[in-house]
Amino acid sequence: MRVCVIGAGIAGTLLAWRLSGYPAVSVDLVTGLPGTDATAASGGGVRGFESHPEQRRLAIESLAELFETPALLDQAGYTETGSTYLMAPWAGLADAVAEVEHMHPGSTELVDGSTLRSLGWHGLPDGTVGVLEKRAGFIRPDQLRALVMDQLACGHNSRVVTGPVLGLVPHPDGSVSCRLPGDSTRYDVVVVAAGPWTPGLLAGNSLPAEPYRTKAIQVAVYKVAGALPTMFVDETSDLYGRPTADGGLLLGVDSHSWSVPPGSSEPVDDLAARAVRIAGERLPHLRLLETAHTVNNADCYADPPVLTLWSVLGSTHRLFTFTGGSGGSVKTALAASRTAASDLLGPLVTGGDTRTTTSRTENKRMTIMEPGIEPTTERTTSSLTRYHTIGIGAGPSNLSLAALYKNVTTEKLALFDSRPGSGWHTPLLYPGVRMQTGWMKDLVSLVDPRHELTFLNYLVTSGRLYALINSQFDALPRIEYERYLAWATERLGVVRFDSRVDSISITEHGFEISVDGEPAAVSEHLVLGLGTRPVWPEYLRGLPPTSAFIADELGSRLPGMEASKADPIAVIGGGQTGLECVLRLLGTGFTDIRWLGRNQWFRSIDDSPMANDLYRPSHIEYLQGLNRGKRREMIVDARYSGDAITPGGLRALYQGNYDGLFELGRFPVTLLPGRDVTSSEALPDGLLRLRCTTTQAPEEYDVRHVVVATGREHVQAPFDDDLRERIDYDDDGDMLVEPDYSVRWKGMNGHRIYSFNASRYSHGLTNAGLTQLPVRAAMVLNSMFDREIYPINDDLCAVQW
């Protein structure tokens, strides 16, 4: 069987590709006049929701095939932006949204006007609703079309023939001749898929041209400052737009200008200005800069607005059209071309009936290959839930990333955390413990102070604002910060608690994580926010766990220690955690506390303006320009600007110790700096003996209990052996982390790993602290999406590093 497809737009090219998959079919794809068509100029958007039911079905199935075929996804140049479709509500809308959600679980949501306003939409008519899709974006149709045409040109049963078509002649037996310059070929089936040229081609050959007509399409691409919106369609104003591959915004408005000639057309007066004006009203936060370029073209429309086969002469001849979508056929072309090929060849090739419906699995998925390579079958992707980004750990670092992430993209993100619920160093929290950072350094404020998850908004919405202000804290209670994190976690809704990730591997589909030994999800990118765990020194091994324990266990141990409040108790560790343990024991009534620290004095944080300049983006950037040795030397030298004790905490200890002097006639707390504990043993009477070195002579201390606060170590990522071998490590065995917090590893293939809290000697003192949470998250997002979503400006610094 010989088939001719006229028109090398995305619809015609994909139809020819589908037909070429049948061994008994020979396909010629005839190109039209040179120049871009409307799809190349303004198309590319893909989403599942459409208001017309058949258009919606095709869009849903096209999107499904795209995601089920990773090679096709890559070859099409897919970029996920999310989609917002605004309209007046109508009967059956909820069911229509459910259709998309059924095929793409967790992707689609019907929202009301208040939610749209929270997403930045304003000036909408009363009652406006929106359909939000996470798994939506755009492809590069010219790129996909070129790959398909190369394959067709090199196929055994397909050709690409240069047009234009000069004539179409139907014959009595149902066949159709197609006349080209210097050639005329007779085909069993001819399909006209020439887009806006279709009506003219049919009419020029005295063939029926209904129901097609052309309409002017005019769009402009703008450079944008700040965050881009999702792809969107606003039926209430005829405005539409989508991000572009180079970080711009394509913006247009319905021209309502019909019967225009195909090809490049004259600009429609004031159309671009109207689009800009409406965008300013609907999206007031959008900052459009100069126009990068403007495109004027025409597209083909039909009623109903569905890309489908239409028989030009009824059952008399095998002459069809395949065009007439609702303007740009990219979002339905995959499924529509599969349906059309099945409808064309079902009765002719298989002897069966023409099929009017399609299943995502009824045809094998073909991978578009380079010229000269045979098509192959792409294996079905895993049934695991797929995310754009997975974060391991739901501490402040990854929560900050998730908070900023939700405002700039509808990509799907999830954080996996082994804890049963929200918390942050919960065992170390009790009244009196204070933060070491100011309240402005929350999850988002340093880069997006208008974000809904600021600490200030937490205070206002929880009714705590005035109570906290009037309490006049010099440093914020740490319990307050934990409650703020829990509040933000609940609103984000992306954390999967009680999910311990025990394996991370790299597959052809991206990163695959396993929870409790079972594969749980896959993602394009991975962000490690694993945090730390307490260190148990070797010199304390062998002591009974009922008498010696880490600081995290102090709260649960206190009830069992009531009878020994007058006995000596040791706290080992001269940092902030050690101080907090001492304060808690003192406040609980212990009267003989020995605080041992290795350094010659219990150092307090340097909170001077100069020290705080070490925690600015400008200093992080400066460190990146140093060689590894010098950078490490400077970071070690400055460590006590942060790795030390809050001055207010030391003051509270000294004042409490002085108060105890009145009652006991001695200090209840003995400070023992310069003591390096080297060994220990359990004595027969139940006491524990600690042996220390000092600057003079060795010392021993016999105590009833030992509280260990000797620091924390970074938790290693549970990479499998293959992925671990791909990671690049430095001389100290630490992962090599780039300035954008990406991990250097082999075989990335577009998949990126980012790491928080594990780059102290490359990114400085802000590596694991809270002072630069949103700055670090913003740098990761800018890197992940390859554009400046969040500008990081720190130019007004008096220090020249």
Side-chain angles (χ1 to χ4, degrees):
M1 175 182 291
R2 299 197 68 184
V3 180
C4 175
V5 178
I6 300 171
I10 191 69
T13 303
L14 288 178
L15 176 57
W17 171 56
R18 299 288 194 191
L19 293 168
S20 69
Y22 290 84
V25 176
S26 172
V27 181
D28 286 352
L29 175 65
V30 179
T31 64
L33 295 170
T36 60
D37 62 4
T39 296
S42 63
V46 290
R47 62 175 181 266
F49 179 79
E50 290 289 331
S51 56
H52 190 280
E54 182 63 13
Q55 183 87 330
R56 182 169 61 250
R57 180 184 68 81
L58 293 172
I60 291 171
E61 294 187 8
S62 293
L63 200 61
E65 180 172 2
L66 197 63
F67 285 120
E68 287 180 354
T69 318
L72 181 61
L73 193 73
D74 180 66
Q75 291 155 348
Y78 173 77
T79 299
E80 196 159 292
T81 65
S83 172
T84 304
Y85 199 116
L86 301 97
M87 74 209 90
W90 39 271
L93 176 57
D95 291 338
V97 174
E99 290 178 31
V100 187
E101 177 66 12
H102 176 73
M103 189 69 76
H104 304 284
S107 171
T108 316
E109 181 182 10
L110 179 62
V111 299
D112 60 13
S114 62
T115 301
L116 293 172
R117 284 190 293 274
S118 72
L119 295 174
W121 289 91
H122 295 272
L124 298 171
D126 291 341
T128 299
V129 297
V131 177
L132 307 184
E133 287 185 70
K134 296 179 181 178
R135 303 198 77 180
F138 65 88
I139 66 171
R140 302 181 184 182
D142 272 357
Q143 175 178 306
L144 178 60
R145 180 170 56 184
L147 286 167
V148 174
M149 290 180 66
D150 286 343
Q151 179 174 310
L152 291 170
C154 300
H156 295 302
N157 61 338
S158 59
R159 296 188 306 161
V160 176
V161 182
T162 302
V165 174
L166 302 179
L168 292 172
V169 181
H171 298 286
D173 64 355
S175 63
V176 180
S177 290
C178 179
R179 185 165 59 88
L180 304 176
D183 181 48
S184 181
T185 304
R186 193 162 175 168
Y187 294 93
D188 299 299
V189 177
V190 171
V191 181
V192 181
W197 281 271
T198 299
L201 178 60
L202 294 175
N205 286 274
S206 301
L207 296 168
E210 294 294 335
Y212 300 118
R213 55 180 181 158
T214 58
K215 184 166 73 170
I217 302 294
Q218 181 172 307
V219 295
V221 175
Y222 298 88
K223 295 182 179 179
V224 177
L228 289 168
T230 65
M231 176 174 66
F232 64 88
V233 174
D234 180 11
E235 284 190 353
T236 69
S237 67
D238 290 336
L239 184 71
Y240 58 91
R242 66 166 176 84
T244 62
D246 58 0
L249 180 69
L250 182 149
L251 199 63
V253 69
D254 195 332
S255 70
H256 298 289
S257 179
W258 295 94
S259 302
V260 297
S264 181
S265 59
E266 292 295 323
V268 181
D269 291 341
D270 300 325
L271 200 61
R274 182 154 63 95
V276 171
R277 176 181 58 79
I278 296 173
E281 296 170 353
R282 293 289 197 259
L283 295 166
H285 68 280
L286 188 62
R287 296 170 58 192
L288 299 179
L289 303 178
E290 70 267 28
T291 305
H293 60 272
T294 301
V295 175
N296 303 288
N297 216 299
D299 205 354
C300 189
Y301 284 70
D303 187 16
V306 178
L307 177 60
T308 186
L309 281 177
W310 177 66
S311 178
V312 176
L313 296 171
S315 60
T316 307
H317 294 83
R318 294 186 290 276
L319 174 62
F320 302 88
T321 58
F322 184 59
T323 189
S326 58
S329 58
V330 171
K331 53 186 171 288
T332 61
L334 281 170
S337 62
R338 186 174 60 248
T339 301
S342 176
D343 289 347
L344 281 172
L345 304 181
L348 297 172
V349 175
T350 67
D353 296 330
T354 299
R355 285 169 283 182
T356 58
T357 60
T358 180
S359 166
R360 287 182 295 126
T361 58
E362 66 184 7
N363 286 345
K364 292 183 178 180
R365 308 291 185 252
M366 290 191 297
T367 301
I368 302 164
M369 306 299 292
E370 296 299 326
I373 301 178
E374 290 296 320
T376 62
T377 300
E378 180 70 22
R379 77 173 181 87
T380 303
T381 61
S382 170
S383 60
L384 299 176
T385 302
R386 185 173 189 85
Y387 297 92
H388 177 268
T389 302
I390 283 178
I392 312 299
S397 295
N398 272 348
L399 288 177
S400 178
L401 177 75
L404 296 180
Y405 190 99
K406 72 180 288 289
N407 274 20
V408 300
T409 179
T410 55
E411 298 276 12
K412 198 174 181 181
L413 172 145
L415 305 181
F416 288 75
D417 197 286
S418 60
R419 296 169 299 170
S422 182
W424 181 66
H425 297 305
T426 303
L428 297 174
L429 301 183
Y430 55 90
V433 177
R434 303 288 182 255
M435 294 292 294
Q436 292 182 299
T437 54
W439 66 269
M440 284 189 64
K441 296 178 179 178
D442 58 18
L443 297 177
V444 293
S445 290
L446 291 185
V447 298
D448 190 357
R450 293 175 293 183
H451 198 288
E452 63 176 326
L453 296 183
T454 62
F455 181 76
L456 185 58
N457 192 38
Y458 153 74
L459 291 177
V460 172
T461 57
S462 63
R464 309 172 72 88
L465 177 63
Y466 294 106
L468 182 68
I469 290 176
N470 291 341
S471 298
Q472 299 184 357
F473 285 105
D474 293 329
L476 191 70
R478 195 179 293 179
I479 294 177
E480 188 79 88
Y481 187 77
E482 186 196 41
R483 291 187 178 181
Y484 160 63
L485 294 181
W487 172 85
T489 300
E490 181 181 0
R491 279 151 182 78
L492 286 170
V494 297
V495 182
R496 293 180 56 173
F497 287 113
D498 205 17
S499 299
R500 180 180 296 278
V501 176
D502 47 31
S503 176
I504 305 171
S505 58
I506 183 67
T507 72
E508 61 182 305
H509 308 302
F511 297 104
E512 181 178 297
I513 67 167
S514 294
V515 174
D516 297 328
E518 294 294 330
V522 293
S523 71
E524 294 294 318
H525 305 299
L526 184 72
V527 183
L528 305 175
L530 295 166
T532 59
R533 60 189 172 199
V535 172
W536 184 266
E538 187 65 33
Y539 56 76
L540 295 177
R541 296 193 185 279
L543 295 182
T546 55
S547 302
F549 45 83
I550 60 174
D552 301 55
E553 300 176 13
L554 177 58
S556 62
R557 299 282 187 174
L558 283 174
M561 298 165 60
E562 283 289 328
S564 56
K565 284 187 175 180
D567 295 340
I569 183 169
V571 175
I572 305 176
Q576 180 71 16
T577 301
L579 169 66
E580 291 166 0
C581 290
V582 171
L583 287 172
R584 188 165 196 182
L585 290 167
L586 182 61
T588 310
F590 287 81
T591 59
D592 190 1
I593 305 164
R594 320 285 177 85
W595 186 17
L596 293 81
R598 183 185 305 172
N599 295 318
Q600 64 176 326
W601 60 302
F602 295 111
R603 291 180 171 90
S604 60
I605 288 175
D606 183 352
D607 197 30
S608 67
M610 182 67 192
N612 282 319
D613 272 331
L614 299 173
Y615 296 84
R616 295 176 57 161
S618 59
H619 189 252
I620 301 174
E621 183 179 0
Y622 163 73
L623 289 174
Q624 303 308 306
L626 303 178
N627 64 58
R628 183 172 173 271
K630 176 56 68 176
R631 184 168 60 227
R632 186 183 184 106
E633 177 186 327
M634 293 188 66
I635 292 169
V636 170
D637 181 62
R639 66 190 183 279
Y640 291 118
S641 63
D643 289 351
I645 301 165
T646 55
L650 278 175
R651 188 181 308 114
L653 171 60
Y654 272 77
Q655 290 174 357
N657 218 15
Y658 191 83
D659 287 339
L661 178 64
F662 291 110
E663 182 179 350
L664 301 173
R666 61 176 174 80
F667 291 117
V669 181
T670 303
L671 282 71
L672 298 166
R675 271 72 173 183
D676 188 4
V677 181
T678 57
S679 65
S680 62
E681 67 173 312
L683 302 177
D685 60 1
L687 294 178
L688 308 177
R689 177 165 292 169
L690 303 176
R691 299 184 180 90
C692 312
T693 60
T694 72
T695 55
Q696 295 179 325
E699 294 178 351
E700 293 182 351
Y701 296 94
D702 294 345
V703 296
R704 180 66 61 188
H705 298 283
V706 173
V707 183
V708 183
T710 53
R712 305 179 73 86
E713 63 184 2
H714 183 71
V715 176
Q716 299 300 313
F719 297 134
D720 69 3
D721 292 341
D722 174 57
L723 184 53
R724 187 178 298 107
E725 290 177 359
R726 299 187 187 205
I727 305 294
D728 288 344
Y729 298 92
D730 61 22
D731 294 340
D732 298 319
D734 297 323
M735 292 186 299
L736 281 172
V737 181
E738 304 287 5
D740 62 357
Y741 293 93
S742 62
V743 175
R744 193 184 303 172
W745 65 291
K746 304 175 185 68
M748 296 173 66
N749 195 28
H751 303 296
R752 298 179 182 178
I753 303 172
Y754 296 90
S755 178
F756 294 126
N757 313 326
S759 52
R760 181 181 181 88
Y761 295 114
S762 60
H763 290 72
L765 302 166
T766 63
N767 158 68
L770 304 177
T771 59
Q772 293 288 306
L773 284 178
V775 174
R776 291 187 295 165
M779 293 173 69
V780 167
L781 289 175
N782 290 348
S783 169
M784 184 181 292
F785 291 98
D786 293 317
R787 58 187 175 90
E788 189 182 55
I789 298 173
Y790 289 105
I792 300 171
N793 298 318
D794 185 23
D795 299 329
L796 295 177
C797 184
V799 182
Q800 295 186 14
W801 300 107

